[in-house]
Amino acid sequence: MTKSQDHVLAIDAMGGDAGPKAVVEGVAYAIQRGLKNKIIFFGDKAQLEPLIAAAPETRDAEIRHADNVVSMTDKPMHVLRRGRDTSMWAAVTAVSEGEVSAVVSGGNTGALMAVSRKQLGMIEGVDRPAVTALWPTPRGRSVVLDVGANVDADENQLVQFAIMGEAFFRALTEVERPTVGLLNVGAEDLKGHELIRTAARVLREADPDMSFHGFVEGNDISKGTVDVVVTDGFTGNVALKSAEGAARLLGEWIKQTLTGSLNAKLGALMMAPGLKKLKDRMDPGSNNGGVFLGINGIVVKSHGGADARGVASAVNMAASLANRPFRDEIISTVQAVMERRARLSDAKETTVKAAVV
Amino acid sequence: MTKSQDHVLAIDAMGGDAGPKAVVEGVAYAIQRGLKNKIIFFGDKAQLEPLIAAAPETRDAEIRHADNVVSMTDKPMHVLRRGRDTSMWAAVTAVSEGEVSAVVSGGNTGALMAVSRKQLGMIEGVDRPAVTALWPTPRGRSVVLDVGANVDADENQLVQFAIMGEAFFRALTEVERPTVGLLNVGAEDLKGHELIRTAARVLREADPDMSFHGFVEGNDISKGTVDVVVTDGFTGNVALKSAEGAARLLGEWIKQTLTGSLNAKLGALMMAPGLKKLKDRMDPGSNNGGVFLGINGIVVKSHGGADARGVASAVNMAASLANRPFRDEIISTVQAVMERRARLSDAKETTVKAAVV
């Protein structure tokens, strides 16, 4: 078995709105807190050298110079055609060439997805990629997928998302049997789309090893009812952004409450330790990092606006996935479930025919 | 023009988990704060009489006895077949008979929808009903629809939801030209389903009177980017419940912060007025009341768990809608837009044919 430090991580240092400074500081922050993997930064050498010199934790990191940068407004097709000299392209290509085990980028999501699909391809048996998001719960955090790679998903894709999400959660948390739920609506006479019901049936019948909970509703996500919440990219994106928007509005109201009067300000001082904890809990940075599951290689998308702590979360996520056999698990489970599914469908048809005869 | 007090409101007093007490107290609360409409309570006379005696504001209300109650677990089909002696049935029927202008019920949503469709039918030109939800924003509140009447919606239905939501918002707030947005996802290469794009085009071309903003994303809802957010019932239900879940988790964390230590408790005392305001803002009761738009009559669904203040919100909503000509507006706008849409499609086909020839 390879040791975790053998797994090298490629960091696209030029992605993100905050520029390479937040990226290098984020890697330094992760190393301070125990990250052991070797790091290769991809980007502009002239900008990176002084940043690395200023962050002694990163002194063992390597720099790979890239002349160019993918901008946040570049169209994915444009990057595919003309982006070979960018830091993003070089960092992803280091995965496809086997030089590194995972890549982290805070750049343009559409371009990162397009370059990853082109350079790494899909895992065998998986139709489409899904993007993950971490979601805070009273028990820690859950993972929701897909939050935006595709606007829809058929029943087979939902089943594949469930398998990939479960393997992802296990690799990230070392929880042996994460629970999985399919996002649905609850009202009596409209229990979801037909295809969600089919996906639930397939998961129950064809994946006996999965701890499949059944359907969950929107409010179950923040409750932590299950570890892995599966949905299509349209619904997942709307759920995530709606909840983020509500949390931001509440955060604004809390701020107004704490600064609304002199007394309130004094009161806020008295609860400073608790407020610090509340702020940490509400910090989106601690949940930063979305993985492109289904891509044949580990690609972690960091939020473009992430600060050093946020970048560190994404880098640690890449390390957790690189250090564990989660991709092999996805390949073998997807294959087994899809085969079992085919056999079950055949068996049903045979039974139906027998009944008709 | 009829005066607002001419519009009688039917109240299903037996709906809701909290029983008739919260309902009667809610009506009393609304009357205290200026509600002028005449009220008819439908329900068990023996239970209602002492409650009304205890709430002097309601002394002018009438009681219509009903022997039976729709339970929260009754199937809609069962209620349609055997529910004629229930308070819900009698209250809705009072609308169809023209005796009252609107009905409020905290009962079983599926049953209320089924009875309303059967007894009141649909507004001419509207294919399907949509359920509204009020959503707090920094500017006050927005309306989101559909939050659960249907699991999907085609482009014509989305257009109808937009027209109905706009008329509803105007009736509720007296804002003359509410802004309307279609809920979508933002990522570059996956701008939503085809049918959402078609709905946007129809709204732009065929409803020149509407202040149509275009697409909005999940986080725009809490920002108050538009007054009316239009989506299908599956997405709307997930968005609403996901945001409610996140708000509840944050509320729990705030509570822990305020009571985490003796100092924190003292600090909380010092900011008591601000915390009271925060609590009021976070109170779901103040946004209670979902309307079944598209039903040919005003039906307001109150939350089953609503307290007196929550019931009052739903009753005030029913009064606002009853007192204004919003149903006539929906009928004429839907008809005009659908006719214009047909003409525009014809014109396009003609142009295409001409181009081909």
Side-chain angles (χ1 to χ4, degrees), chain B residues 13-15 18-28 41 47-48 51 54-55 306-308 311:
Chain B
M14 309 309 283
K21 187 162 183 284
V23 178
V24 174
E25 287 175 0
V27 170
F41 287 112
Q47 286 185 63
L48 286 171
L51 292 170
D307 61 6
V311 170

Side-chain angles (χ1 to χ4, degrees), chain A residues 136 247 250-255 257-258 268 271-284 286-287 309, chain B residues 246-259 271 275 278 282:
Chain A
L250 249 73
E252 189 49 47
W253 287 350
I254 294 169
K255 215 157 104 190
T257 306
L258 298 174
M271 58 177 75
L275 287 174
K276 168 79 174 57
K277 191 175 170 194
L278 179 65
K279 208 179 153 202
D280 285 349
R281 280 171 153 178
M282 289 184 69
D283 173 24
S286 59
N287 295 310
R309 247 182 80 186
Chain B
R248 206 168 297 129
L249 178 60
L250 248 73
E252 190 47 49
W253 287 350
I254 294 169
K255 214 157 105 189
Q256 287 171 17
T257 306
L258 297 175
T259 57
M271 57 177 77
L275 287 174
L278 180 64
M282 288 185 70

Side-chain angles (χ1 to χ4, degrees), chain A residues 75 136 148-149 151 185 188 190 193 217 219 222 237 241 245-246 250 253-254 256 263-264 268 270-271 281-282, chain B residues 75 148-149 151 185 188 190 193 217 219 222 237 241 245-246 249-250 253-254 256 263-264 268 270-271 281-282:
Chain A
K75 300 270 181 219
V151 289
V185 293
E188 192 46 49
L190 42 89
H193 297 285
E217 293 189 59
N219 52 330
S222 287
N237 185 285
K241 290 195 171 163
L250 249 73
W253 287 350
I254 294 169
Q256 289 171 16
N263 265 346
M270 297 185 72
M271 58 177 75
R281 280 171 153 178
M282 289 184 69
Chain B
K75 300 269 180 220
V151 289
V185 293
E188 192 46 51
L190 41 88
H193 297 285
E217 294 190 60
N219 52 330
S222 286
N237 185 285
K241 290 195 172 164
L249 178 60
L250 248 73
W253 287 350
I254 294 169
Q256 287 171 17
N263 264 346
M270 298 184 70
M271 57 177 77
R281 280 172 153 177
M282 288 185 70

Side-chain angles (χ1 to χ4, degrees), chain A residues 155 158-160 162-163 177 180-184 191 194-216 226 337-338 340-341 344 348:
Chain A
E155 56 268 37
L158 288 175
V159 168
Q160 292 161 12
I163 294 168
R177 276 172 64 88
V180 179
L182 275 171
L183 191 57
N184 201 346
K191 283 244 193 280
E194 180 60 30
L195 68 90
I196 300 178
R197 289 196 295 258
T198 308
R201 194 172 47 71
V202 173
L203 286 171
R204 271 200 197 90
E205 292 176 0
D207 196 357
D209 295 336
M210 184 183 283
S211 181
F212 178 59
H213 172 92
F215 298 133
V216 293
V226 292
V337 170
M338 288 297 153
R340 249 176 264 142
R341 191 210 159 161
L344 288 167
K348 264 195 194 133

Side-chain angles (χ1 to χ4, degrees), chain B residues 235-298:
Chain B
T235 310
N237 185 285
V238 168
L240 182 67
K241 290 195 172 164
S242 299
E244 282 176 351
R248 206 168 297 129
L249 178 60
L250 248 73
E252 190 47 49
W253 287 350
I254 294 169
K255 214 157 105 189
Q256 287 171 17
T257 306
L258 297 175
T259 57
S261 66
L262 185 59
N263 264 346
K265 282 178 196 160
L266 290 172
L269 277 179
M270 298 184 70
M271 57 177 77
L275 287 174
K276 169 80 173 56
K277 191 174 171 196
L278 180 64
K279 208 179 154 203
D280 285 350
R281 280 172 153 177
M282 288 185 70
D283 173 23
S286 59
N287 295 310
N288 183 40
V291 177
F292 293 173
L293 293 180
I295 295 287
N296 196 21
I298 297 162

Side-chain angles (χ1 to χ4, degrees), chain A residues 43-61:
Chain A
D44 180 36
K45 203 167 182 180
Q47 286 185 64
L48 287 171
E49 273 176 346
L51 292 171
I52 288 177
E57 298 86 350
T58 64
R59 65 176 166 263
D60 294 335

Side-chain angles (χ1 to χ4, degrees), chain B residues 120-139:
Chain B
L120 303 171
M122 296 294 297
I123 287 181
E124 206 190 311
V126 177
D127 299 338
R128 288 195 197 169
V131 179
T132 63
L134 295 180
W135 191 299
T137 73
R139 303 191 298 135

